[in-house]
Every structure is written in structure tokens, then in C-alpha cells.
Amino acid sequence: MKAVQIYEYGNSSVLKYEDVPKPQTGPDEVLVKVHACGVNPVDWKIREGYMAQFVHHDMPLILGWDVAGTVEETGALVRRFKPGDAVFCRPDTSRNGGYAEYIAVKTIELASAPKSIPLEKAAGIPLASQAAWMALFEVGRLKAGQSVLIHGASGGVGMFAVQLAKIAGAHIIGTTSGRNSDMVRSIGADEVIDHTKEDFSKKVRELDMVFDTIGGDTQEKSWGVLRKGGVLVSTVGADEKAAAAHGVIGKSFALVSNGARLQEISSLVDAGKISVVIEKEFPLAEAGAAQELSQTGHARGKIILRVL
């Protein structure tokens, strides 16, 4: 099969588009014929070696952990899926990913893809939507009627966070750049702050929750906008000492993918409650250009590698 893999850590030049053996499946696994693969920051962070101290990878390594496709074959223990089923998943990031024509995944990670959208759009859902779900509800315990500030509201994770918080009945304030303000409002934000022109820390106060996908100075300013006992949940690591000094709670988390959770999200897509914004599609052979776009941090929505 064709795949994009690396033999060493480095910049986008280490990505190699080449022929590799098709993966073998275990008894609890499914072989998926990949239609499309989402491109996420974790891809280039692993490529550059930033994650080496947290996750061990054998080389060569196929990147890409946001997959949509069809079932090619199933292991002896698998009964939920059959060949031909349309599926999507966020595979285990310690294993080979989906920048390839085929990927073997554990059945527990897999869900039926939404029927109402094409598979190339479905490929942009699993990682970002589950990160948003975990942050808001499983870690942050967001409830109806509460207020939440979502940083990077037009990004891959942020756009799902806005929509999920809206479904849950929260009051949503999103930060983004001016060009994306209308889009962020259209998916459910009650208020939008253009971070290129306004300082959010001077505009909002006494919030129940902040969802931080940016870190740095943005996180530092966020402590002061929370009510006492409020919570900041961060995808990039929360400074718990700073949180305590402000009388609030800081929480970090790592995504643990779950097929049951993803199935709920798939149903919400088919119910018309969640939409997917695609910034740009690239062919598999142009994975380097796709990752470079991701690294700019300015993509609106998701970046997709088209395999079929």
C-alpha cells in the first residue's frame, strides 16, 4: 500500500511517501481502508520529536490519528462491524496512523461514521470532537446555564467545543480573529471577541469555565476572568499553581478515545446538531504541505488528507 512515514524526527522533509506492507490485524482489530485522514497538531509534534518523552514509537512510523474509511476485514472476535461498513476513529497514537491506504485499529476505538456527510468530512471529527467533549463535560463538568470562554473557537477543537457547549445549554463566548467571527457565531457562540483587536480579559468576568487550547499569555490572562472556584481546562497543560493563587481550578488532560463516545457524536452530526468546517484538502502525497499549514496555527476548522 501507499503510505507517508518517517524514519527519524525532523521537519516536514522527513515525511516519505512510499510503498509499505499492508498491516496485519489481530483478533480484536479491524482493517480499515482509509478514505481520508485528518491532520492535527499532534501529527507534526510527534514528527518533530516533541512527544518522544511521553510516547515511544518504533521507526519507521506512519503518522495521522484521525481516520474515516470502510471496513476491509475484521478479526475473529469482532461482531459489531462487517466488511463495507463506513467507520471513523481516533486510533491509538502509539501505533501506526492513517496517512496510508489501510490501517489496523482496535474495535473499541471504532464507531459508525455519520451517514449525512461524506467520509472526507467525517475524517475531521474523531480527535477534535472528542477532545472538546472530554474537556467540557468529563473534565470541566460544564452544565446548562453556565458560562464558558472558548479560546481558539474557530480552530479544529474550538469549533466542536462551541457546538457541544451550545447543545448542552451553556452561554458561550469565543475568541478568534475577525475573519472568523461570523463563522463562530453561526455555529453557536453567543458572544465573539476578536483577539486581534480586543483584550478578552478586559471584557469578561465571573465565568464558570475557560477552555484553553492556546496556553502562554492567553492562559495567564484567563485566570482573572473566572469566578472563585471556576475551572480552566487546557489541552496544552494548565498551571495549577497559578490557578490556586487566583482561587480557581486548573485542569490538564490527555485524550482517551472511546468508540461509544464517538458514536454519540456521530449521531449528533446526523441529527444536524454538529457540523464540520474544512479549511483545505490535500492529496496523501502532499502530507508535508498539510502539516505546514497546521503549524501556522491559523487554519479555520480542519485540514484533511484525501487518500481515495
Side-chain angles (χ1 to χ4, degrees), residues 87-133:
V87 293
F88 66 159
C89 64
R90 198 299 300 244
D92 183 350
T93 54
S94 68
R95 302 175 62 188
N96 276 329
Y99 287 12
E101 292 180 321
Y102 295 91
I103 181 175
V105 299
K106 298 286 187 183
T107 185
I108 195 171
E109 299 164 347
L110 211 55
S112 298
K115 296 178 175 63
S116 58
I117 60 173
L119 284 171
E120 58 266 27
K121 277 199 166 186
I125 295 174
L127 187 153
S129 66
Q130 290 191 87
W133 180 299

Side-chain angles (χ1 to χ4, degrees), residues 214-297:
I214 299 171
D217 186 56
T218 297
Q219 183 176 121
E220 191 62 35
K221 288 183 175 181
S222 295
W223 303 119
V225 306
L226 287 164
R227 63 169 173 78
K228 293 299 182 185
V231 60
L232 178 146
V233 181
S234 179
T235 60
V236 294
D239 184 340
E240 294 183 16
K241 289 184 178 179
H246 285 84
V248 300
I249 302 165
K251 292 187 176 182
S252 308
F253 76 103
L255 173 61
V256 178
S257 187
N258 178 291
R261 185 198 299 119
L262 189 55
Q263 199 63 64
E264 294 288 358
I265 293 168
S266 180
S267 297
L268 289 169
V269 174
D270 281 339
K273 294 182 178 295
I274 294 179
S275 60
V276 189
V277 177
I278 304 296
E279 169 75 6
K280 190 171 181 178
E281 286 186 20
F282 294 84
L284 179 60
E286 296 179 18
Q291 287 194 358
E292 287 167 4
L293 175 57
S294 175
Q295 284 187 263
T296 68

Side-chain angles (χ1 to χ4, degrees), residues 49-276:
Y50 295 146
M51 309 292 286
Q53 60 182 319
F54 305 109
V55 184
H56 171 75
H57 290 108
D58 294 323
M59 298 290 180
L61 172 68
I62 300 172
L63 302 172
W65 295 277
D66 226 358
V67 172
T70 55
V71 174
E72 184 78 2
E73 61 185 55
T74 61
L77 299 176
V78 178
R79 293 293 180 269
R80 276 196 305 140
F81 301 101
K82 64 184 185 303
D85 286 349
V87 293
F88 66 159
C89 64
R90 198 299 300 244
D92 183 350
T93 54
S94 68
R95 302 175 62 188
N96 276 329
Y99 287 12
E101 292 180 321
Y102 295 91
I103 181 175
V105 299
K106 298 286 187 183
T107 185
I108 195 171
E109 299 164 347
L110 211 55
S112 298
K115 296 178 175 63
S116 58
I117 60 173
L119 284 171
E120 58 266 27
K121 277 199 166 186
I125 295 174
L127 187 153
S129 66
Q130 290 191 87
W133 180 299
M134 276 192 73
L136 294 176
F137 309 119
E138 296 175 21
V139 180
R141 306 293 184 185
L142 183 68
K143 296 177 177 61
Q146 291 188 323
S147 55
V148 57
L149 173 64
I150 298 171
H151 289 303
S154 59
V157 176
M159 70 174 180
F160 287 113
V162 170
Q163 294 176 88
L164 289 167
K166 188 70 172 181
I167 296 167
H171 180 85
I172 304 150
I173 305 149
T175 66
T176 187
S177 61
R179 78 181 183 98
N180 297 322
S181 294
D182 288 344
M183 186 273 279
V184 173
R185 284 193 184 89
S186 74
I187 60 174
D190 298 291
E191 302 176 47
V192 179
I193 298 172
D194 180 353
H195 68 77
T196 66
K197 296 180 179 178
E198 303 172 285
D199 183 346
F200 72 89
S201 66
K202 293 184 170 67
K203 295 202 67 175
V204 291
R205 280 286 183 276
E206 296 296 308
L207 301 180
D208 296 296
M209 182 177 174
V210 173
F211 182 30
D212 168 38
T213 62
I214 299 171
D217 186 56
T218 297
Q219 183 176 121
E220 191 62 35
K221 288 183 175 181
S222 295
W223 303 119
V225 306
L226 287 164
R227 63 169 173 78
K228 293 299 182 185
V231 60
L232 178 146
V233 181
S234 179
T235 60
V236 294
D239 184 340
E240 294 183 16
K241 289 184 178 179
H246 285 84
V248 300
I249 302 165
K251 292 187 176 182
S252 308
F253 76 103
L255 173 61
V256 178
S257 187
N258 178 291
R261 185 198 299 119
L262 189 55
Q263 199 63 64
E264 294 288 358
I265 293 168
S266 180
S267 297
L268 289 169
V269 174
D270 281 339
K273 294 182 178 295
I274 294 179
S275 60
V276 189

